[in-house]
Amino acid sequence: MIELRGVGKVFGQGDRQVTALHDVSLHVAPGEVFGVLGRSGAGKSTLLRCANLLERPTRGEVRVGGQDLLSLSPRELRQARQGIGMIFQHFNLFASRTVEDNVAYPLEVMGLPREAIRARVAELLSLVGLTDKARAYPAQLSGGQKQRVGIARALAPRPRVLLSDEATSALDPETTRSVLGLLKDLQQRLGLTLLLITHQLEVVKALCGSVAVLEGGRLVEQGRVQELLARPESRLRALCFPPLSAREEPPDAGGQRLELSLTDAHARSPLISTLARRFDVDVLLLEGAVERVGESRVGRLLVELRGAPGAVAEARTFLRDQGLTSGEAAHG
Ligand SMILES: Nc1ncnc2c1ncn2[C@@H]1O[C@H](COP(=O)(O)OP(=O)(O)OP(=O)(O)O)[C@@H](O)[C@H]1O
């Protein structure tokens, strides 16, 4: 649905040149939620703006819905953009227009009749839960409500693709969760293809099926979120699970420390009680976390096994056979 091939972007000229993107290629399948994760300055906004040609790449190809955007005339491009909605970190609402007039704006530009606009706006405001705010002005709304208006406006022309430029970065954690929930719901209900950029891992965990990690204008990793999290050496996993500080501390006498990597299947099984019952070992949870990613859970835990040496050895073998450890003790 969205395909970037060998996209490069250089800003400025001569010795003032900044290369914001180097040879970026990615493919977002229809109906997929694809996140681009990166720090400030990594080139995320530039990449997103290249996907609808708000920024023209210096090189490479941009295809959306099979159309080569770079080959379109200005008029054709305007038409193609109606199929590509966009939402912004700072909402970009018209302060002097009411909520309903903000949502109506793209439909007015398209030249729809007034009655059709009125009906569509009512439908959109109901979709984002803002029917009672139709006559309010942006200044009278909370950040979350403003973003809901931004989402309704982006969806007004019935786009098949939605681009999200740090849509929740200006919101508090609770509002972020509610806006992410709305986006997920709309994406599923409308079958949208969603390309989003973010510096928030939480957004990737809550929404994305696939992710690319952007560093210094280069995609250094991309793939299915679940698969990357299952790979011990992936950047995504390192971002999700920072280093364990207790790893280097010596264990109790006779104890053995192990780092466990939990997949969804592990997280759903009664792991600790199985160890205790079957091998007669005690299990201390020292550090780590189990995180929810989409509908699944993944985790990394540092545990210490205590008990008779034979029992601890058997428990370790069991954990290794279950794919929970690489077989290597963190310590002990
Ligand atoms: N219009 C421009 N002119 C010159 N340089 C630019 C322009 N836009 C972006 N850049 C540069 O390109 C690089 C990538 O910027 P970009 O805004 O895409 O990063 P980002 O990952 O979105 O960062 P942030 O999250 O801080 O917005 C930066 O070095 C930035 O200074």
Side-chain angles (χ1 to χ4, degrees), residues 9-12 16-21 38-49 55 89 165-166 197-199 214 217:
K9 177 70 190 180
V10 180
F11 289 108
R16 298 213 162 175
Q17 278 191 355
V18 177
T19 304
L21 296 176
R39 293 194 185 153
S40 183
K44 303 182 300 296
S45 294
T46 307
L47 186 156
L48 196 74
R49 291 163 62 83
E55 208 68 78
Q89 178 175 4
D165 186 350
E166 298 271 11
I197 59 160
T198 184
H199 69 274
L214 189 65

Side-chain angles (χ1 to χ4, degrees), residues 2 6 55 71 82 90 94 98 104 117 132 154 172 186 206 243 259 278 326:
I2 306 174
E55 208 68 78
S71 71
Q82 285 174 9
H90 297 295
F94 297 109
T98 60
I117 293 180
D132 58 334
D172 62 60
L186 292 173
E259 190 177 315
R278 198 184 294 180
S326 58

Side-chain angles (χ1 to χ4, degrees), residues 175-196:
T175 312
T176 292
R177 275 193 289 279
S178 123
V179 169
L180 291 178
L182 174 70
L183 275 176
K184 188 172 185 175
D185 179 51
L186 292 173
Q187 186 270 331
Q188 287 172 348
R189 270 209 272 172
L190 306 175
L192 293 168
T193 303
L194 184 52
L195 174 60
L196 59 89

Side-chain angles (χ1 to χ4, degrees), residues 16-218:
R16 298 213 162 175
Q17 278 191 355
V18 177
T19 304
L21 296 176
H22 301 262
D23 195 22
V24 165
S25 296
L26 59 81
H27 176 81
V28 187
E32 187 176 28
V33 183
F34 192 108
V36 176
L37 185 65
R39 293 194 185 153
S40 183
K44 303 182 300 296
S45 294
T46 307
L47 186 156
L48 196 74
R49 291 163 62 83
C50 281
N52 60 1
L53 296 199
L54 279 181
E55 208 68 78
R56 282 189 98 79
T58 317
R59 65 178 68 86
E61 279 178 49
V62 179
R63 287 179 183 274
V64 178
Q67 259 186 326
D68 174 2
L69 296 192
L70 284 159
S71 71
L72 301 181
S73 67
R75 187 161 167 268
E76 289 168 331
L77 182 58
R78 273 199 299 279
Q79 197 147 25
R81 281 200 185 124
Q82 285 174 9
I84 312 173
M86 190 162 181
I87 52 176
F88 304 89
Q89 178 175 4
H90 297 295
F91 326 120
N92 292 14
L93 302 179
F94 297 109
S96 60
R97 282 181 163 238
T98 60
V99 164
E100 59 186 1
D101 288 347
N102 264 281
V103 178
Y105 180 75
L107 304 173
E108 291 169 9
V109 172
M110 286 164 70
L112 258 63
R114 264 175 60 175
E115 265 321 298
I117 293 180
R118 204 194 302 262
R120 177 78 181 131
V121 168
E123 185 189 342
L124 287 157
L125 290 182
S126 152
L127 205 59
V128 300
L130 281 183
T131 303
D132 58 334
K133 297 288 180 194
R135 300 278 159 82
Y137 284 88
Q140 297 167 307
L141 303 179
S142 69
Q145 290 168 333
K146 285 181 197 165
Q147 193 55 287
R148 283 167 187 264
V149 180
I151 293 170
R153 184 182 57 184
L155 295 179
R158 302 185 193 276
R160 287 185 300 156
V161 169
L162 187 62
L163 307 179
S164 166
D165 186 350
E166 298 271 11
T168 52
S169 297
L171 306 175
D172 62 60
E174 202 180 318
T175 312
T176 292
R177 275 193 289 279
S178 123
V179 169
L180 291 178
L182 174 70
L183 275 176
K184 188 172 185 175
D185 179 51
L186 292 173
Q187 186 270 331
Q188 287 172 348
R189 270 209 272 172
L190 306 175
L192 293 168
T193 303
L194 184 52
L195 174 60
L196 59 89
I197 59 160
T198 184
H199 69 274
Q200 297 171 299
L201 188 60
E202 184 194 347
V203 172
V204 173
K205 289 195 295 187
L207 276 189
C208 298
S210 296
V211 68
V213 180
L214 189 65
E215 284 178 14
R218 288 189 168 82

Side-chain angles (χ1 to χ4, degrees), residues 261-299:
S261 293
L262 281 73
T263 62
D264 190 53
H266 297 134
R268 286 174 195 276
S269 69
L271 185 67
I272 306 297
S273 49
T274 301
L275 285 173
R277 271 202 300 264
R278 198 184 294 180
F279 303 101
D280 196 21
V281 291
D282 288 319
V283 185
L284 278 82
L285 297 178
L286 299 178
E287 204 177 336
V290 178
E291 300 276 350
R292 201 183 162 94
V293 179
E295 302 305 313
S296 320
R297 290 188 174 79
V298 288

